[in-house]
Amino acid sequence: MSIEARDTKTDTMAPVTIVHASSGAKAEVHPFGATVVSFIPQGDRGEVLFVSKLAKRDGSKAIRGGIPLAFPQFGQPDKSMPQHGFLRNNLWTVGKSYDEGDEASCCEFHLTLADAVNGRGGIWDAQSTELDCSMTLLVKVQATKLSTVLIVNNTGEKRFDCQALFHTYYKIPGGQALNKDACSVKGLGGYSVKDQITSDTYIVESNNVEIFVDREVDRIYTPPGDKPHLQLSLKSAPGVMTEISSMALVNGVTCPVSVVIWNPHEAKSKTMGDFDDEEYHDMICVEPGMLSNVPAILPCQIAVFEQIISVL
Ligand code: TA6
């Protein structure tokens, strides 16, 4: 494995490249937000993730693309807190890197609550919080897999409720995100759906139901009780498949994993300064999240939340 040389003293914002030597697969992680901004697996698939050409990479705002991290909440129910929480808008520390035999090449990233100096708000406000926690993101690169594991350690004396989500942006080649034959998601049979645009609610009839982008899509899919682990497939182009799986443990107990599917489509794209007006043709977000029925993390306990992206 190799981590490309970086001058950690002067260049804390330099991205880290993790190379799985035997396969040539590699990932790039930006320390700002510990945001994975690239995954190129072995073979001729090329780049799996999408990052907007207008994305800010200077720490002025969360990176528009790759795998931004949402915690301690999804969305912005409390206006004093930044949208999707404070992990993606703070500078993380690059930790150790190591190989797991020839199986995987790994690198860790760390953030303590005290280091999260940008925008916390709510019960996490720097001036008043009684809570404490520390975060580790483990990024594992294998020949055809990328795994991200978010570990939240309750280092304080009080329990706290939270949500966590991998806000993963997938690249759709050839600008075909709105082509039903090129871009779709399957495998969510039995999930209950909340459409954030229309407020419609319904149940996905079967795993064969194809979910595609025909307008602004912003939907939360919540698993039925017997499906805590997420396992779905994304078609990015005819014959180009990605398996996405996710599981979570809180206080050592399985926590259900929901998934958000989002594409801003034309109108919303025009409102985002760090996203080109036409880039909605080039991406789809498939976002595993610990969003409902999440137990409070107890003092001295941890949440472990993993997303595995496997290219077929
Ligand atoms: O994941 C869907 C969503 O909550 C959308 O509502 C949209 O706001 C998107 O996240 C992007 O949010 P951001 O704060 O990154 O612009």
Side-chain angles (χ1 to χ4, degrees):
M1 96 92 89
S2 70
I3 294 285
E4 289 188 353
R6 45 195 300 278
D7 177 350
T8 53
K9 290 182 179 49
T10 60
D11 205 350
T12 56
M13 291 282 272
V16 172
T17 299
I18 308 167
V19 181
H20 181 242
S22 62
S23 69
K26 62 181 179 178
E28 185 175 302
V29 188
H30 202 295
F32 191 70
T35 311
V36 181
V37 292
S38 173
F39 171 48
I40 301 177
Q42 179 184 38
D44 56 7
R45 167 75 179 258
E47 180 59 64
V48 174
L49 302 178
F50 167 88
V51 177
S52 172
K53 58 189 173 189
L54 302 182
K56 301 290 187 189
R57 300 186 192 224
D58 59 2
S60 59
K61 71 172 294 186
I63 295 172
R64 175 69 62 194
I67 310 178
L69 304 173
F71 171 89
Q73 93 289 342
F74 173 69
Q76 197 180 26
D78 176 341
K79 295 303 179 194
S80 72
M81 301 178 76
Q83 162 100 329
H84 298 329
F86 54 80
L87 299 194
R88 64 178 188 164
N89 62 5
N90 275 283
L91 184 61
W92 291 51
T93 303
V94 180
K96 64 185 179 187
S97 53
Y98 50 91
D99 284 336
E100 289 183 344
D102 184 39
E103 177 69 15
S105 298
C106 310
C107 190
E108 295 180 355
F109 300 82
H110 302 284
L111 182 73
T112 65
L113 186 62
D115 290 339
V117 295
N118 295 329
R120 291 179 1 206
I123 60 171
W124 294 93
D125 184 80
Q127 308 309 322
S128 59
T129 191
E130 297 177 323
L131 307 176
D132 202 357
C133 64
S134 64
M135 280 59 65
T136 295
L137 181 75
L138 168 61
V139 180
K140 285 174 64 169
V141 180
Q142 297 171 264
T144 57
K145 280 186 187 179
L146 173 73
S147 170
T148 49
V149 185
L150 176 63
I151 300 164
V152 178
N153 185 355
N154 183 346
T155 52
E157 296 176 356
K158 289 182 176 283
R159 67 174 59 192
F160 56 78
D161 291 312
C162 64
Q163 295 174 309
L165 174 132
F166 293 109
H167 200 294
T168 310
Y169 289 71
Y170 291 90
K171 178 177 180 176
I172 303 301
Q176 295 299 303
L178 278 60
N179 177 349
K180 297 178 184 178
D181 298 325
C183 174
S184 62
V185 174
K186 283 173 67 172
L188 291 176
Y191 280 65
S192 52
V193 189
K194 171 73 185 297
D195 191 313
Q196 301 275 78
I197 306 299
T198 66
S199 298
D200 288 346
T201 56
Y202 55 92
I203 306 280
V204 180
E205 285 178 13
S206 85
N207 280 342
N208 293 323
V209 168
E210 289 191 323
I211 298 155
F212 43 78
V213 180
D214 51 0
R215 53 179 169 82
E216 182 178 356
V217 173
D218 193 348
R219 301 186 195 125
I220 301 174
Y221 294 77
T222 302
D226 61 351
K227 272 188 168 179
H229 293 175
L230 178 71
Q231 183 84 34
L232 59 77
S233 62
L234 165 66
K235 179 161 74 173
S236 304
V240 180
M241 304 301 292
T242 305
E243 293 292 333
I244 301 165
S245 60
S246 183
M247 60 294 295
L249 286 173
V250 178
N251 311 323
V253 176
T254 298
C255 173
V257 177
S258 303
V259 60
V260 177
I261 297 179
W262 178 60
N263 180 291
H265 212 270
E266 183 175 12
K268 177 130 190 187
S269 295
K270 291 185 165 72
T271 69
M272 300 191 298
D274 59 349
F275 189 80
D276 182 84
D277 290 357
E278 297 302 318
E279 284 186 313
Y280 65 97
H281 291 284
D282 305 319
M283 52 68 70
I284 188 169
C285 280
V286 181
E287 312 161 24
M290 296 165 37
L291 301 182
S292 55
N293 300 319
V294 182
I297 306 181
L298 303 175
C300 303
Q301 289 280 358
I302 61 173
V304 182
F305 176 33
E306 182 173 26
Q307 169 185 253
I308 302 172
I309 300 169
S310 305
V311 299
L312 303 182

